[in-house]
Amino acid sequence: MTELPPLEPPRATLAPKPDPRRPIALVVGVAATVAFVILRFVVAFGDHEPLTVDVWWHALMVTTYSNAGIVIAWIPAIVGGTVGMICVGAVAVAAFLWRKRRWDAANVAIALVVVVAIGAPMAAVIARMRPADSLAESMATSFPSGHTAVATTFAITLALLLRHWYIWALGTLWVVLMMWSRTYLYAHWLSDVVAGFLEGVAVATLVWCAVEAVRDRRASRKLYRRSETQ
């Protein structure tokens, strides 16, 4: 009786199992993008003037002004500024490279570059005026908040990569503190920081999904080539 050759394992099993969080992150990223676009149109329809909620929140920040509050508000403003985030981002990238997590290092770097590349030109194009009594910024444009967008992008990216609940908790605290800081220093309207938050959520989740997809595809191709040589 002729023996049949052993069946080859299905090649589909060679593919790495996708992260189960990816579909959720994709939905969140798309939803944040849609919400950002809606808010953008709301601001545009209002001729880029502050919304009713912006005026109310700004008045609240003015009435709660204190020297101690200003000192606290300047901490995230400085750390989350251009120089501060370059340093923090470089440390994070270096740490991932030191741990031989090159894809995660690339994820952090790409996300930060993308959020700045999108936000800075957008603010110039939209050209919404800051509050006239701004204590922190001299540039006139304010929508969306770059500090908030970068802080949100960095916090969510780290939380997705490190997968610890306390990273999510600390990241949430940092983003909320940043949003409060930017309005407490009269540098942004409330809708500016909400837009920055939405931009950061969209960039962090969508970049993470894209990097994970590319990493899985590369891993699948590598496994496939190995199976072909065996």
Side-chain angles (χ1 to χ4, degrees):
M1 183 176 180
T2 305
E3 294 185 0
L4 296 175
L7 295 176
E8 294 182 0
R11 287 179 179 173
T13 61
L14 295 174
K17 187 176 180 180
D19 193 314
R21 301 173 300 164
R22 196 190 302 171
I24 300 175
L26 182 60
V27 171
V28 171
V30 172
T33 303
V34 172
F36 178 91
V37 172
I38 292 174
L39 180 57
R40 166 70 184 98
F41 278 114
V42 169
V43 170
F45 289 151
D47 199 24
H48 297 132
E49 293 296 321
L51 308 177
T52 301
V53 67
D54 293 330
V55 175
W56 169 79
W57 184 260
H58 185 74
L60 180 63
M61 294 298 98
V62 172
T63 58
T64 57
Y65 176 93
S66 70
N67 291 333
I70 291 297
V71 172
I72 296 173
W74 269 109
I75 295 174
I78 295 173
V79 175
T82 302
V83 176
M85 287 313 302
I86 288 176
C87 294
V88 172
V91 169
V93 170
F96 280 122
L97 289 175
W98 179 67
R99 296 293 300 273
K100 298 181 179 179
R101 297 173 61 171
R102 292 178 297 174
W103 284 99
D104 294 342
N107 196 331
V108 173
I110 294 171
L112 291 178
V113 170
V114 169
V115 75
V116 173
I118 292 175
M122 188 182 302
V125 170
I126 295 174
R128 189 189 199 189
M129 299 299 292
R130 296 184 188 275
D133 50 355
S134 174
L135 302 175
E137 301 291 344
S138 57
M139 293 182 62
T141 55
S142 68
F143 185 98
S145 167
H147 280 67
T148 304
V150 173
T152 305
T153 299
F154 187 72
I156 293 180
T157 299
L158 282 189
L160 289 170
L161 296 177
L162 298 179
R163 305 188 183 197
H164 295 300
W165 68 267
Y166 56 85
I167 301 297
W168 282 106
L170 291 174
T172 300
L173 179 62
W174 174 248
V175 172
V176 171
L177 180 63
M178 181 65 77
M179 295 174 74
W180 167 81
S181 166
R182 302 310 288 161
T183 56
Y184 196 80
L185 295 173
Y186 317 149
H188 287 281
W189 303 108
L190 180 62
S191 53
D192 295 338
V193 297
V194 172
F197 169 75
L198 293 172
E199 179 194 350
V201 171
V203 170
T205 52
L206 296 180
V207 167
W208 178 77
C209 287
V211 172
E212 286 293 301
V214 173
R215 173 159 59 178
D216 288 350
R217 183 175 298 179
R218 291 285 296 274
S220 296
R221 290 178 178 175
K222 187 175 181 180
L223 289 172
Y224 179 81
R225 286 194 296 267
R226 285 182 180 177
S227 67
E228 290 294 303
T229 59
Q230 292 178 354

